Amino acid sequence: MRILLVEDDPDLSRQLKQALGDAGYAVDHAADGEEGHYLGESEPYDAVILDLGLPKMDGVSVLEQWRRANIATPVLILTARGAWSEKVAGFDAGADDYLTKPFHTEELLARLRALLRRAAGHSSPSLAVGGLRLDPRAARATVNGEPLRLTSLEYRLLHYMMMHQGRVIGRTELVEHLYDQDFDRDSNTIEVFIGRLRKKIGQDRIETVRGLGYRLAPLVGEPQEG
Ligand code: CA
């Protein structure tokens, strides 16, 4: 999953980037409204964390323009303490959730997980396909109860595929949701990561749909878990 963070405070940005990275997300950061607006319009993020008080273009205007352009990405806004009217303006502009500064990073991460879950149409906090289970709260996955040792990219790949289980996902889509913008993106490397992940979770779990992409499907004859 790939997140856009639009925040002008350098200390808070550094802290959040670190926490989001540790939680298993690819993160792009914009330090002003113009850059944030541009990135949100040109890259398919899974969610956006948007500060409202920003240089060059304020957060409410950024959000209004995205929504006018039919960009439906879930957006969590960061508002200043006591500024209730900011929250109203943010929700009216199309925000999905908010947090008032200062906040605990854990709360931000929990709200983000809820946003991503709702956007993908899942109700349970952990994701399961057959005996394969992934818990975004701990950034961990297991097969039949056995913990999987995954690199951060393998975890991100599995997380995205489990969020969209049963659907065929193209290579370009995977590239766009796994790597941050500074990463040297090459869709051929996806095949390598899929191969490594198959070795860890079982060869048959990821199906190759020729010319279209990959699909994470329950094994034949395996009961579906909730
Ligand atoms: Ca600010």
Side-chain angles (χ1 to χ4, degrees), residues 12-168:
L12 183 59
S13 298
R14 211 173 303 126
Q15 183 198 326
L16 292 181
K17 244 193 117 171
Q18 177 76 42
L20 290 163
D22 290 347
Y25 302 106
V27 191
D28 289 341
H29 172 241
D32 66 68
E34 267 176 24
E35 195 196 354
H37 173 257
Y38 169 75
L39 284 175
E41 204 177 48
S42 48
E43 298 286 336
Y45 293 101
D46 293 295
V48 179
I49 299 164
L50 176 68
D51 183 30
L52 291 189
L54 290 167
K56 294 191 185 173
M57 186 187 216
D58 69 90
V60 169
S61 304
V62 170
L63 187 49
E64 274 171 356
Q65 292 203 19
W66 283 340
R67 295 310 190 216
R68 218 172 290 144
N70 286 322
I71 293 165
T73 314
V75 173
L76 187 152
I77 53 171
L78 304 178
T79 65
R81 186 201 281 275
W84 66 268
S85 56
E86 263 198 346
K87 282 174 215 161
V88 174
F91 276 115
D92 282 344
D96 299 277
D97 197 3
Y98 78 93
L99 257 180
T100 301
K101 291 178 177 180
F103 53 83
H104 288 282
T105 308
E106 280 308 313
E107 186 179 352
L108 177 90
L109 294 174
R111 287 181 181 275
L112 185 61
R113 286 193 294 272
L115 268 189
L116 292 169
R117 193 163 71 216
R118 284 200 297 270
H122 294 284
S123 51
S124 166
S126 68
L127 298 160
V129 183
L132 182 62
R133 189 172 281 276
L134 184 141
D135 187 353
R137 291 166 293 189
R140 275 202 197 112
T142 54
V143 171
N144 301 323
E146 291 291 318
L148 282 171
R149 283 170 169 267
L150 301 175
T151 64
S152 58
L153 262 169
E154 288 164 1
Y155 172 82
R156 225 176 271 161
L157 174 60
L158 184 61
H159 190 188
Y160 192 79
M161 294 201 83
M162 288 190 78
M163 278 291 219
H164 301 278
Q165 53 189 260
R167 177 162 78 73
V168 179

